[in-house]
Amino acid sequence: MSHLRPDIVERARELVSLYPEPRSALIPLCHLAQEQDGWLRPEAMEEIAALVGITAAEVRGTATFYDMLHTEPVGTYLVSICTNIACLLGGAEELLAHAEARLGVHAGGTTPDGRFTLEDAECLADCDRTPCVTVNHRYVGGLSIEELDALLDDLAAGRRSDEIPPHGTLVRVRRNGGLRVPLAQLAAERAAMAEAQADRARAAKDEEAAQAGAAGGSQGSEGRGTA
Amino acid sequence: MAVTDAPRIVTARMGFKDSHTLDRFLSTGGYDGLRKALSMTPEEVAAQVDAASLLGRGGAGFPAGRKWSMLRKDPVTYLVVNGDESEPATFKDHLLVERDPHQLVEGVLIAAYALQVTQAFIYLRGEFAFGLERLTQALNEAYDYGAVGQDIFGSGFSIDVVVHPGAGAYICGEETALLESLEGKRGFPRIKPPFFPAAIGLYGQPTVVNNVETMSNLPWIVLHGGAAFAALGEGRSTGTRLFALSGHVKRPGTYEVEMVKTTFRDLVYAPVYGGGVRGDREVKAFVPGGVSAPWFGPGQLDLPLGQDEVGNAGSMLGSGAITVMDASTCMVRAAWRITKFFARESCGQCTPCREGSGWLERVLRRIEHGGGREEDLELLLDASDNISPGLQWPPQQTTICVLGPSIPSSIHSAIDMFRDEFLVHIKEGRCPVA
């Protein structure tokens, strides 16, 4: 009995097929598993391992390297507050302290009801709107303390679910094109094209040499013919 | 104020609300550059990029044309686009991906054709969830339109492009770490030599790694010619470039400006750019090119935005991220926060970086929190010297990649420029500014 849902497995297989080597799909597959469970359950890591042809230990060993991949449960809403330099200058430390007090957890912690996980994030690359806040990796703008309070109220009441998908959902758009061209065919095409180019270059060179020969010593006197 | 009349090359469509759609793209010259490129030979396309002398826009500023020429000949080669924008205070690729994804796709296709690669990948940082959706949508449209995939526009050229999400790791912006990550592994940088991507890259095959902004310039360069691009800017710094302006300015944002003809002062004070410092306070210091770069003071505001000009002055334009700190900024706190970032993001392979970053962070933290010691400043410089011997610019390194030698930049700058401020923290246990 598969832990990952059939639709997730189907998408996983599609993703694996996009890459020359299956292991390349590891991170995308981890995102998919998180879309189902919110975090990487051991059973999910086992199945990902099988899908890309490595061991579950290798999946875990890789996943723990990355901040967005969670090997422990994460709240319904992952609230990330950037405190890096641009946001620091914009009051991020004060905003984070307020969020910690309001949610009753330190950065990195999850509220007892499992609703919110608070994160002291590194730069999220939205530095003209500070302090930068994301919820489930969706930008919600640079927020004042009052605006953050309003946002947390909204989330707690289940509002704004239209703009903020469930935690773990990375990409809602599915790829509809892809790998219509087998790599072996492409490599053969490239090789043929390179050969044709080499032929053209040789022909051009021959022609140049012939012209140089026809022009006699005048080219040589300009220093080209000595070699 | 020098605001030149240079054309907007990569932000031309940003005025439109629907700049990300295929309709808008096509009605504003979209995919014309690709069509033109396909009518030329791959060498002719590469020659135009070479003539443009387009410097890579990711951080290192290596000429794109030269990088391309170094690609080892092999039947299987790859193009990988670096969209792992994570250098703190850099948010230009974010804009390009979300607001003009088709322009990026077109640039990637032009490069793929010029280089005759087998497959192309666009690696976007995982935190760009919305950008990933926009780019995937654009790629879907491009496939349906016939701009990607089999026999593009009937040219006989075929290529597949894959959008690949990262999962949160600064180090994956380093090109060899990015390739490891794209292979489904931890983002550990590879040692160079021998692992120069152009020789041994993705899956051991020759690979070109280019930044998102570098790619986004290609449609314009092909349409208007490399010479037109090279006519903008000055010296080695040609064309326009995106600068991400943040911190204590009235109008933070991403601005496309002509290189060299514009100065830091123009960018910070011109009404169409930064509009001046908030509260009309003085600039105390600024980071000129991402937090890996040594800081500048008000005395350097008149430096031109050019790669060599800034390099010769002892720092770098790096990722194009300029962060302004006004008189109210505590420089101990700023240096501490930047160092904390490096300590968190060090991949852990090399001892000087892994251990050094954590040590430096703890010493800075205790100074900031009133527990500093007299000898701490020398300790900070000594530990920094162990990561980057001589604390010179450009930096020496004792590590596999340049994350390590980037750590001392802000520490060295802060102590050099604001030693008295550190001493007040240490001797009096308080901040003289805040």
PDB file of all heavy atoms in Angstrom, chain B residues 8 26 50 53 56 74 94 103 120 160 177 188 190 224 247 262 295 302 327-328 334 393 409:
ATOM      1  N   ARG B   8      15.730  50.814 -21.866  1.00  0.00           N
ATOM      2  CA  ARG B   8      15.527  49.764 -20.860  1.00  0.00           C
ATOM      3  C   ARG B   8      15.551  48.444 -21.609  1.00  0.00           C
ATOM      4  O   ARG B   8      14.713  48.190 -22.460  1.00  0.00           O
ATOM      5  CB  ARG B   8      14.225  50.013 -20.120  1.00  0.00           C
ATOM      6  CG  ARG B   8      14.394  51.183 -19.147  1.00  0.00           C
ATOM      7  CD  ARG B   8      13.092  51.639 -18.579  1.00  0.00           C
ATOM      8  NE  ARG B   8      12.368  50.554 -17.941  1.00  0.00           N
ATOM      9  CZ  ARG B   8      11.378  50.760 -17.081  1.00  0.00           C
ATOM     10  NH1 ARG B   8      11.029  51.984 -16.744  1.00  0.00           N
ATOM     11  NH2 ARG B   8      10.742  49.747 -16.561  1.00  0.00           N
ATOM     12  N   LEU B  26       4.290  38.781 -27.002  1.00  0.00           N
ATOM     13  CA  LEU B  26       4.308  38.736 -28.468  1.00  0.00           C
ATOM     14  C   LEU B  26       4.014  40.104 -29.077  1.00  0.00           C
ATOM     15  O   LEU B  26       4.559  40.459 -30.118  1.00  0.00           O
ATOM     16  CB  LEU B  26       3.306  37.698 -28.978  1.00  0.00           C
ATOM     17  CG  LEU B  26       3.656  36.242 -28.649  1.00  0.00           C
ATOM     18  CD1 LEU B  26       2.540  35.303 -29.120  1.00  0.00           C
ATOM     19  CD2 LEU B  26       4.994  35.836 -29.257  1.00  0.00           C
ATOM     20  N   ASP B  50      29.538  37.930 -27.716  1.00  0.00           N
ATOM     21  CA  ASP B  50      30.926  38.272 -27.449  1.00  0.00           C
ATOM     22  C   ASP B  50      31.159  39.757 -27.720  1.00  0.00           C
ATOM     23  O   ASP B  50      31.791  40.460 -26.938  1.00  0.00           O
ATOM     24  CB  ASP B  50      31.829  37.407 -28.345  1.00  0.00           C
ATOM     25  CG  ASP B  50      33.180  37.171 -27.716  1.00  0.00           C
ATOM     26  OD1 ASP B  50      33.237  37.109 -26.464  1.00  0.00           O
ATOM     27  OD2 ASP B  50      34.171  37.067 -28.454  1.00  0.00           O
ATOM     28  N   SER B  53      30.173  42.169 -25.160  1.00  0.00           N
ATOM     29  CA  SER B  53      31.003  41.997 -23.951  1.00  0.00           C
ATOM     30  C   SER B  53      30.168  42.072 -22.682  1.00  0.00           C
ATOM     31  O   SER B  53      30.485  42.763 -21.719  1.00  0.00           O
ATOM     32  CB  SER B  53      32.202  42.939 -23.942  1.00  0.00           C
ATOM     33  OG  SER B  53      31.856  44.262 -23.759  1.00  0.00           O
ATOM     34  N   GLY B  56      28.788  38.665 -16.903  1.00  0.00           N
ATOM     35  CA  GLY B  56      27.795  37.867 -16.180  1.00  0.00           C
ATOM     36  C   GLY B  56      27.176  38.662 -15.060  1.00  0.00           C
ATOM     37  O   GLY B  56      27.870  39.379 -14.329  1.00  0.00           O
ATOM     38  N   ASP B  74      31.707  18.331 -26.910  1.00  0.00           N
ATOM     39  CA  ASP B  74      31.228  17.004 -26.528  1.00  0.00           C
ATOM     40  C   ASP B  74      29.830  16.842 -27.111  1.00  0.00           C
ATOM     41  O   ASP B  74      29.098  17.832 -27.212  1.00  0.00           O
ATOM     42  CB  ASP B  74      31.181  16.911 -24.997  1.00  0.00           C
ATOM     43  CG  ASP B  74      31.003  15.486 -24.509  1.00  0.00           C
ATOM     44  OD1 ASP B  74      29.906  14.911 -24.688  1.00  0.00           O
ATOM     45  OD2 ASP B  74      31.973  14.950 -23.923  1.00  0.00           O
ATOM     46  N   HIS B  94      14.321  37.946  -9.044  1.00  0.00           N
ATOM     47  CA  HIS B  94      12.946  37.779  -8.570  1.00  0.00           C
ATOM     48  C   HIS B  94      11.985  38.538  -9.489  1.00  0.00           C
ATOM     49  O   HIS B  94      10.985  37.992  -9.967  1.00  0.00           O
ATOM     50  CB  HIS B  94      12.881  38.325  -7.133  1.00  0.00           C
ATOM     51  CG  HIS B  94      11.530  38.262  -6.505  1.00  0.00           C
ATOM     52  ND1 HIS B  94      11.251  38.776  -5.272  1.00  0.00           N
ATOM     53  CD2 HIS B  94      10.365  37.745  -6.939  1.00  0.00           C
ATOM     54  CE1 HIS B  94       9.977  38.587  -4.994  1.00  0.00           C
ATOM     55  NE2 HIS B  94       9.421  37.957  -5.987  1.00  0.00           N
ATOM     56  N   GLN B 103      10.680  36.457 -21.430  1.00  0.00           N
ATOM     57  CA  GLN B 103      11.962  37.037 -21.831  1.00  0.00           C
ATOM     58  C   GLN B 103      13.104  36.119 -21.386  1.00  0.00           C
ATOM     59  O   GLN B 103      14.079  35.910 -22.119  1.00  0.00           O
ATOM     60  CB  GLN B 103      12.117  38.423 -21.198  1.00  0.00           C
ATOM     61  CG  GLN B 103      13.444  39.089 -21.465  1.00  0.00           C
ATOM     62  CD  GLN B 103      13.487  40.502 -20.907  1.00  0.00           C
ATOM     63  OE1 GLN B 103      13.354  41.472 -21.635  1.00  0.00           O
ATOM     64  NE2 GLN B 103      13.654  40.625 -19.599  1.00  0.00           N
ATOM     65  N   ALA B 120      18.456  22.138 -21.421  1.00  0.00           N
ATOM     66  CA  ALA B 120      18.645  23.328 -20.582  1.00  0.00           C
ATOM     67  C   ALA B 120      17.816  23.214 -19.311  1.00  0.00           C
ATOM     68  O   ALA B 120      16.710  22.664 -19.324  1.00  0.00           O
ATOM     69  CB  ALA B 120      18.257  24.585 -21.357  1.00  0.00           C
ATOM     70  N   ASP B 160      14.857  20.909 -25.011  1.00  0.00           N
ATOM     71  CA  ASP B 160      13.910  20.811 -23.909  1.00  0.00           C
ATOM     72  C   ASP B 160      14.428  21.647 -22.753  1.00  0.00           C
ATOM     73  O   ASP B 160      15.625  21.650 -22.469  1.00  0.00           O
ATOM     74  CB  ASP B 160      13.775  19.347 -23.484  1.00  0.00           C
ATOM     75  CG  ASP B 160      12.466  19.101 -22.763  1.00  0.00           C
ATOM     76  OD1 ASP B 160      11.429  19.563 -23.256  1.00  0.00           O
ATOM     77  OD2 ASP B 160      12.495  18.466 -21.703  1.00  0.00           O
ATOM     78  N   ALA B 177      27.963  24.053  -6.622  1.00  0.00           N
ATOM     79  CA  ALA B 177      27.004  23.564  -5.626  1.00  0.00           C
ATOM     80  C   ALA B 177      25.628  23.421  -6.271  1.00  0.00           C
ATOM     81  O   ALA B 177      24.887  22.475  -5.996  1.00  0.00           O
ATOM     82  CB  ALA B 177      26.940  24.511  -4.435  1.00  0.00           C
ATOM     83  N   PHE B 188      27.005  20.859  -2.034  1.00  0.00           N
ATOM     84  CA  PHE B 188      28.420  21.003  -1.680  1.00  0.00           C
ATOM     85  C   PHE B 188      29.200  21.487  -2.908  1.00  0.00           C
ATOM     86  O   PHE B 188      29.245  20.781  -3.917  1.00  0.00           O
ATOM     87  CB  PHE B 188      29.009  19.655  -1.236  1.00  0.00           C
ATOM     88  CG  PHE B 188      28.640  19.232   0.151  1.00  0.00           C
ATOM     89  CD1 PHE B 188      28.852  17.913   0.571  1.00  0.00           C
ATOM     90  CD2 PHE B 188      28.123  20.138   1.074  1.00  0.00           C
ATOM     91  CE1 PHE B 188      28.528  17.518   1.859  1.00  0.00           C
ATOM     92  CE2 PHE B 188      27.798  19.742   2.364  1.00  0.00           C
ATOM     93  CZ  PHE B 188      27.997  18.421   2.761  1.00  0.00           C
ATOM     94  N   ARG B 190      32.058  22.027  -5.595  1.00  0.00           N
ATOM     95  CA  ARG B 190      33.110  21.132  -6.069  1.00  0.00           C
ATOM     96  C   ARG B 190      34.414  21.919  -6.170  1.00  0.00           C
ATOM     97  O   ARG B 190      34.391  23.125  -6.416  1.00  0.00           O
ATOM     98  CB  ARG B 190      32.746  20.598  -7.452  1.00  0.00           C
ATOM     99  CG  ARG B 190      31.453  19.813  -7.486  1.00  0.00           C
ATOM    100  CD  ARG B 190      31.009  19.566  -8.935  1.00  0.00           C
ATOM    101  NE  ARG B 190      29.815  18.714  -8.979  1.00  0.00           N
ATOM    102  CZ  ARG B 190      29.140  18.466 -10.102  1.00  0.00           C
ATOM    103  NH1 ARG B 190      29.525  19.019 -11.246  1.00  0.00           N
ATOM    104  NH2 ARG B 190      28.076  17.687 -10.074  1.00  0.00           N
ATOM    105  N   HIS B 224      19.284  43.759 -31.582  1.00  0.00           N
ATOM    106  CA  HIS B 224      19.918  45.051 -31.862  1.00  0.00           C
ATOM    107  C   HIS B 224      21.399  44.939 -32.161  1.00  0.00           C
ATOM    108  O   HIS B 224      22.031  45.917 -32.544  1.00  0.00           O
ATOM    109  CB  HIS B 224      19.698  46.002 -30.684  1.00  0.00           C
ATOM    110  CG  HIS B 224      18.260  46.316 -30.444  1.00  0.00           C
ATOM    111  ND1 HIS B 224      17.452  45.512 -29.673  1.00  0.00           N
ATOM    112  CD2 HIS B 224      17.474  47.320 -30.885  1.00  0.00           C
ATOM    113  CE1 HIS B 224      16.232  46.015 -29.650  1.00  0.00           C
ATOM    114  NE2 HIS B 224      16.211  47.117 -30.378  1.00  0.00           N
ATOM    115  N   GLY B 247      17.372  49.173   1.995  1.00  0.00           N
ATOM    116  CA  GLY B 247      17.835  49.855   3.205  1.00  0.00           C
ATOM    117  C   GLY B 247      17.156  51.198   3.378  1.00  0.00           C
ATOM    118  O   GLY B 247      16.008  51.384   2.981  1.00  0.00           O
ATOM    119  N   THR B 262      26.377  56.073 -14.510  1.00  0.00           N
ATOM    120  CA  THR B 262      25.583  56.357 -13.324  1.00  0.00           C
ATOM    121  C   THR B 262      26.453  56.077 -12.103  1.00  0.00           C
ATOM    122  O   THR B 262      27.274  55.164 -12.129  1.00  0.00           O
ATOM    123  CB  THR B 262      24.339  55.450 -13.307  1.00  0.00           C
ATOM    124  OG1 THR B 262      23.770  55.418 -14.613  1.00  0.00           O
ATOM    125  CG2 THR B 262      23.294  55.935 -12.331  1.00  0.00           C
ATOM    126  N   TRP B 295      32.241  47.052   2.619  1.00  0.00           N
ATOM    127  CA  TRP B 295      31.363  48.226   2.622  1.00  0.00           C
ATOM    128  C   TRP B 295      32.088  49.455   2.104  1.00  0.00           C
ATOM    129  O   TRP B 295      33.310  49.547   2.149  1.00  0.00           O
ATOM    130  CB  TRP B 295      30.899  48.523   4.050  1.00  0.00           C
ATOM    131  CG  TRP B 295      30.139  47.423   4.705  1.00  0.00           C
ATOM    132  CD1 TRP B 295      29.723  46.245   4.157  1.00  0.00           C
ATOM    133  CD2 TRP B 295      29.723  47.393   6.083  1.00  0.00           C
ATOM    134  NE1 TRP B 295      29.055  45.491   5.093  1.00  0.00           N
ATOM    135  CE2 TRP B 295      29.048  46.163   6.286  1.00  0.00           C
ATOM    136  CE3 TRP B 295      29.841  48.278   7.153  1.00  0.00           C
ATOM    137  CZ2 TRP B 295      28.499  45.804   7.532  1.00  0.00           C
ATOM    138  CZ3 TRP B 295      29.303  47.927   8.382  1.00  0.00           C
ATOM    139  CH2 TRP B 295      28.633  46.708   8.571  1.00  0.00           C
ATOM    140  N   ASP B 302      30.404  58.820  -5.056  1.00  0.00           N
ATOM    141  CA  ASP B 302      30.540  59.314  -6.424  1.00  0.00           C
ATOM    142  C   ASP B 302      31.238  58.341  -7.357  1.00  0.00           C
ATOM    143  O   ASP B 302      31.494  58.663  -8.516  1.00  0.00           O
ATOM    144  CB  ASP B 302      31.247  60.668  -6.415  1.00  0.00           C
ATOM    145  CG  ASP B 302      30.350  61.742  -5.818  1.00  0.00           C
ATOM    146  OD1 ASP B 302      29.174  61.821  -6.244  1.00  0.00           O
ATOM    147  OD2 ASP B 302      30.785  62.456  -4.905  1.00  0.00           O
ATOM    148  N   ALA B 327      22.529  57.151   9.457  1.00  0.00           N
ATOM    149  CA  ALA B 327      23.222  57.464  10.707  1.00  0.00           C
ATOM    150  C   ALA B 327      22.637  56.741  11.921  1.00  0.00           C
ATOM    151  O   ALA B 327      23.292  56.612  12.950  1.00  0.00           O
ATOM    152  CB  ALA B 327      23.191  58.972  10.932  1.00  0.00           C
ATOM    153  N   SER B 328      21.420  56.232  11.823  1.00  0.00           N
ATOM    154  CA  SER B 328      20.801  55.582  12.981  1.00  0.00           C
ATOM    155  C   SER B 328      21.173  54.106  13.085  1.00  0.00           C
ATOM    156  O   SER B 328      20.697  53.401  13.976  1.00  0.00           O
ATOM    157  CB  SER B 328      19.269  55.710  12.885  1.00  0.00           C
ATOM    158  OG  SER B 328      18.790  54.887  11.832  1.00  0.00           O
ATOM    159  N   ALA B 334      24.709  45.309  12.492  1.00  0.00           N
ATOM    160  CA  ALA B 334      24.692  45.019  11.055  1.00  0.00           C
ATOM    161  C   ALA B 334      25.731  43.950  10.717  1.00  0.00           C
ATOM    162  O   ALA B 334      25.443  42.971  10.026  1.00  0.00           O
ATOM    163  CB  ALA B 334      24.940  46.292  10.253  1.00  0.00           C
ATOM    164  N   TRP B 393      41.844  42.543  -0.883  1.00  0.00           N
ATOM    165  CA  TRP B 393      40.802  42.522  -1.903  1.00  0.00           C
ATOM    166  C   TRP B 393      41.429  42.558  -3.273  1.00  0.00           C
ATOM    167  O   TRP B 393      42.254  43.417  -3.515  1.00  0.00           O
ATOM    168  CB  TRP B 393      39.841  43.703  -1.718  1.00  0.00           C
ATOM    169  CG  TRP B 393      38.621  43.481  -2.547  1.00  0.00           C
ATOM    170  CD1 TRP B 393      38.374  44.025  -3.780  1.00  0.00           C
ATOM    171  CD2 TRP B 393      37.526  42.618  -2.238  1.00  0.00           C
ATOM    172  NE1 TRP B 393      37.180  43.548  -4.258  1.00  0.00           N
ATOM    173  CE2 TRP B 393      36.639  42.686  -3.333  1.00  0.00           C
ATOM    174  CE3 TRP B 393      37.206  41.795  -1.167  1.00  0.00           C
ATOM    175  CZ2 TRP B 393      35.454  41.960  -3.381  1.00  0.00           C
ATOM    176  CZ3 TRP B 393      36.038  41.082  -1.212  1.00  0.00           C
ATOM    177  CH2 TRP B 393      35.175  41.169  -2.304  1.00  0.00           C
ATOM    178  N   SER B 409      34.400  40.183   4.884  1.00  0.00           N
ATOM    179  CA  SER B 409      34.172  41.494   4.265  1.00  0.00           C
ATOM    180  C   SER B 409      33.500  42.496   5.200  1.00  0.00           C
ATOM    181  O   SER B 409      34.018  43.589   5.432  1.00  0.00           O
ATOM    182  CB  SER B 409      33.317  41.345   3.003  1.00  0.00           C
ATOM    183  OG  SER B 409      34.032  40.679   1.998  1.00  0.00           O
TER     184      SER B 409
END
